[in-house]
Amino acid sequence: MTPKEAVAFAKEKGTKMVDLKFTDFIGIWQHFTVPVSEFSEDLFDDGLGFDGSSIRGWKPIHASDMLVVPDPSTAMMDPFNEVPTLSLICNIIDPITKESYTRDPRNIAAKAEVYLKSTGIGDTAFIGPEPEFFIFDDIRYGEGPDNSFYALDSAEGIWNTGREECPNLGYKPRHKEGYFPVPPTDSFQDLRTEMCLVMEQVGIAIECQHHEVATAGQAEIDMRFAPLLKMADQLMWFKYVIKNVAKRWGKTVTFMPKPVFGDNGTGMHTHMSIWKDGKPLFAGDGYGGMSELAMNFIGGILKHAKALNAFCNPSTNSYKRLVPGFEAPVNLAYSGRNRSASLRIPMYSSSPKAKRIEARFPDPSCNGYLAFSALLMAGLDGIQNKLDPGAPLDKDIYGLSPEELKDIPAAASSLEEALDALEADHEFLLKGDVFTQDVIDTWIEYKRKNEVAEVRLRPTPHEFFLYYDC
């Protein structure tokens, strides 16, 4: 859609307001809204000003003026506003230099696609994430110098089998048994279906929806694969739609990787492939029907995995999911079919177009623009340096003895370790100016100061359980 077509589309839909959305450094959508009378083709050249110092990880107050410039190809009617509202995803521009802002996550993703083409390796990186999430009835949390707590609830939670619900009808999935019974045990079929239908309204192709493994409303909705930048945009719409549909039903959704103790965490298995001139490049006659190029791509991700954790698993809560000995893929190995490996080669189809790799360690707390770009850059580094991923691990990793496990490297065990790894290993991200040194430094500084240090400072209830009587 061109600027002229976007303006015509707004008129055709009876638009009264125009909502301008952009993604902050951490990965949360921000927005402001203008009357349609302010909406013209000039907006796509001139943009609109805002205060960049109020956005996390962006400009200092003495240099805070920035511009949002909408991308006309993203024009879509917002499905949640009472008044007809056109939604546009925006790029961030420096008003002085007129250059794209280097800390704008969408700009980083766009540069990753340009870099792929510049290498001559391929022209399209297809991404297919599987974001999981929990649907809760209630969430409360708070803290002070003398207390801290969280309390969540779900009518589906197995802990509520004895609650007086007048009547309590049971049908609550047991821990690790939510994949995937029919209703009435699965009580969210209609809610997930509505989420899918609204996502189709905003142009997202949906492949399937289902209950996930955990009790208490864990769910998954899968989008059909798309080019990297488009998929990162769709992931923002995905979260927006799911949260707002849930709110309409009086529910609340979280993409936290580990909100429920004692059950499966929430991941975002991410499928990736590279194509050139309309042809898939990952199909071949090697292991799992993969090409040498695909195996080198795997080698790059395995080599840089701990640094990738800093973008793909960017919360302290991420490492409550990535714990050795459970189902999360912490061991850095690859395999066909074996879901206990951190990288899997799906074997559903022998079609060359279906050949892809699946990174199983990312989680949906990530900023998709940064995570998808970092994964691509690591894979390309593997191709450029012909990195051998070694032998596949087709055994059940969780059944291996300590002696067998000792030579298998592991993902980062904490956000602090992941940030240290990124600090030591990020040259592959700087190629093509996709990530800049400023972006890397700012990400590390922000996460250490605002998340790692703040969590480290606070006692937790379980520490009182362990240590109060010492």
Side-chain angles (χ1 to χ4, degrees):
M1 195 178 292
T2 65
K4 183 176 182 179
E5 289 169 336
V7 172
F9 178 74
K11 185 175 181 179
E12 174 192 337
K13 296 295 183 179
T15 299
K16 297 188 181 299
M17 303 296 287
V18 177
D19 199 52
L20 304 173
K21 297 179 172 70
F22 62 94
T23 304
D24 72 8
F25 196 49
I26 307 307
I28 305 297
W29 246 358
Q30 311 294 324
H31 81 129
F32 62 94
T33 311
V34 299
V36 74
S37 58
E38 296 293 310
F39 185 55
S40 68
E41 292 180 52
D42 291 341
L43 183 61
F44 296 94
D45 291 321
D46 301 335
L48 287 173
F50 73 101
D51 176 10
S53 69
S54 296
I55 304 300
R56 298 181 296 177
W58 278 6
K59 289 284 191 177
I61 197 165
H62 64 273
S64 59
D65 287 354
M66 305 190 80
L67 294 173
V68 294
V69 177
D71 180 343
S73 70
T74 66
M76 194 73 59
M77 296 304 293
D78 192 299
F80 296 106
N81 293 313
E82 187 174 335
V83 170
T85 301
L86 181 72
S87 175
L88 290 153
I89 300 176
C90 299
N91 298 312
I92 308 302
I93 304 297
D94 186 297
I96 307 301
T97 65
K98 301 300 181 182
E99 293 179 349
S100 297
Y101 184 42
T102 56
R103 296 187 198 173
D104 174 12
R106 196 167 191 265
N107 176 39
I108 292 169
K111 288 192 292 183
E113 290 191 321
V114 170
Y115 177 68
L116 169 61
K117 293 175 184 176
S118 75
T119 65
I121 293 169
D123 52 38
T124 307
F126 283 113
I127 308 291
E130 300 175 353
E132 298 168 349
F133 54 95
F134 275 90
I135 304 166
F136 295 133
D137 294 314
D138 185 62
I139 174 66
R140 293 175 292 120
Y141 51 88
E143 64 176 12
D146 61 332
N147 72 88
S148 70
F149 80 98
Y150 74 89
L152 53 84
D153 204 7
S154 165
E156 257 198 20
I158 190 63
W159 54 83
N160 282 323
T161 55
R163 184 171 66 177
E164 291 189 13
E165 295 180 350
C166 303
N168 187 324
L169 300 178
Y171 301 120
K172 302 180 193 301
R174 288 175 287 273
H175 288 297
K176 302 183 184 297
E177 294 187 21
Y179 188 88
F180 25 55
V182 298
T185 303
D186 176 5
S187 64
F188 291 116
Q189 172 70 14
D190 290 338
L191 173 53
R192 293 193 309 268
T193 293
E194 183 174 326
M195 291 170 173
C196 291
L197 294 176
V198 175
M199 278 192 270
E200 288 182 334
Q201 278 182 242
V202 297
I204 298 176
I206 299 298
E207 291 188 334
C208 71
Q209 59 97 339
H210 58 82
H211 204 289
E212 254 301 338
V213 173
T215 188
Q218 192 183 37
E220 177 176 311
I221 298 176
D222 296 337
M223 296 174 277
R224 182 172 174 77
F225 66 88
L228 189 151
L229 178 59
K230 182 178 179 180
M231 180 52 73
D233 285 344
Q234 287 187 176
L235 183 59
M236 301 309 297
W237 270 112
F238 182 95
K239 291 184 174 182
Y240 179 72
V241 167
I242 283 176
K243 290 177 180 179
N244 279 284
V245 171
K247 186 173 184 291
R248 241 170 15 196
W249 283 59
K251 308 290 184 182
T252 180
V253 159
T254 183
F255 290 91
M256 278 180 66
K258 190 68 172 181
V260 176
F261 170 66
D263 213 332
N264 279 34
T266 290
M268 188 178 74
H269 305 149
T270 302
H271 298 253
M272 295 173 286
S273 64
I274 295 177
W275 291 46
K276 186 174 184 179
D277 299 328
K279 296 179 181 179
L281 301 182
F282 278 11
D285 56 7
Y287 175 83
M290 303 295 274
S291 65
E292 182 181 357
L293 181 141
M295 301 310 290
N296 293 152
F297 193 94
I298 290 172
I301 291 180
L302 290 176
K303 177 183 177 181
H304 300 296
K306 285 193 177 184
L308 292 173
N309 287 145
F311 290 115
C312 296
N313 310 96
S315 69
T316 58
N317 186 252
S318 296
Y319 301 88
K320 302 294 195 295
R321 166 182 172 255
L322 292 180
V323 176
F326 295 90
E327 290 190 28
V330 299
N331 295 292
L332 300 177
Y334 75 96
S335 177
R337 303 184 71 179
N338 187 349
R339 283 175 164 80
S340 62
S342 61
L343 288 174
R344 188 174 74 95
I345 299 171
M347 304 297 287
Y348 298 122
S349 172
S350 59
S351 168
K353 293 182 178 180
K355 288 301 176 184
R356 61 195 187 275
I357 68 164
E358 176 191 13
R360 295 181 61 79
F361 57 86
D363 70 58
S365 70
C366 73
N367 180 332
Y369 296 102
L370 303 185
F372 300 156
S373 299
L375 285 165
L376 174 63
M377 296 299 288
L380 291 177
D381 185 66
I383 293 170
Q384 290 163 333
N385 290 290
K386 297 188 181 302
L387 297 179
D388 184 350
L393 189 59
D394 290 330
K395 298 178 182 179
D396 177 5
I397 293 174
Y398 304 114
L400 297 181
S401 68
E403 185 66 22
E404 291 174 300
L405 277 172
K406 69 179 178 60
D407 294 325
I408 301 174
S413 60
S414 68
L415 180 56
E416 183 174 20
E417 183 182 350
L419 295 171
D420 289 346
L422 177 63
E423 191 169 48
D425 175 26
H426 59 260
E427 291 298 319
F428 70 100
L429 296 170
L430 303 179
K431 294 177 182 179
D433 199 39
V434 175
F435 289 77
T436 64
Q437 189 65 50
D438 171 70
V439 165
I440 301 296
D441 293 343
T442 303
W443 184 263
I444 292 170
E445 179 187 8
Y446 181 91
K447 289 285 177 176
R448 282 176 173 164
K449 178 182 177 182
N450 295 283
E451 299 180 29
V452 173
E454 292 298 318
V455 170
R456 181 188 291 142
L457 284 170
R458 287 159 169 77
T460 66
H462 196 66
E463 288 175 309
F464 282 85
F465 173 80
L466 291 172
Y467 308 126
Y468 187 77
D469 60 348
C470 65

